[in-house]
Amino acid sequence: MSVAEVLNLAEDDRSLAKMQVVDLLEAIPRIGPVRAQAIMDELEIASSRRLRGLGERQRRGLVEMFEGM
């Protein structure tokens, strides 16, 4: 499942919407805590942010970053 698909599902799925962004990133192969935090810093996403709380720019940044994975 792609990051874009997860973000789209989070719009309607309450349990997925409550997932923290860092947990989504760390679930991606080859992304650990340090790289996940670097990605969040680059996209200006707070470490406590949940999927539902992402802004449009942040969502687009995540999708663009992981396109083709």
Side-chain angles (χ1 to χ4, degrees):
M1 184 174 281
S2 72
V3 170
E5 291 171 324
V6 172
L7 293 175
N8 287 335
L9 286 174
E11 292 178 16
D12 298 322
D13 185 321
R14 285 184 178 183
S15 60
L16 197 55
K18 293 179 183 180
M19 179 182 202
Q20 290 192 329
V21 176
V22 69
D23 293 332
L24 170 64
L25 293 174
E26 289 179 9
I28 298 171
R30 297 185 310 262
I31 296 184
V34 173
R35 188 157 178 217
Q37 189 58 53
I39 291 168
M40 292 180 64
D41 289 345
E42 180 181 335
L43 296 175
E44 299 177 357
I45 300 172
S47 60
S48 61
R49 181 70 60 201
R50 298 185 185 279
L51 296 183
R52 177 179 282 159
L54 287 172
E56 185 58 38
R57 182 184 54 76
Q58 294 166 329
R59 290 172 59 90
R60 189 178 30 216
L62 283 172
V63 169
E64 289 173 1
M65 187 169 285
F66 294 101
E67 278 181 330
M69 282 191 103

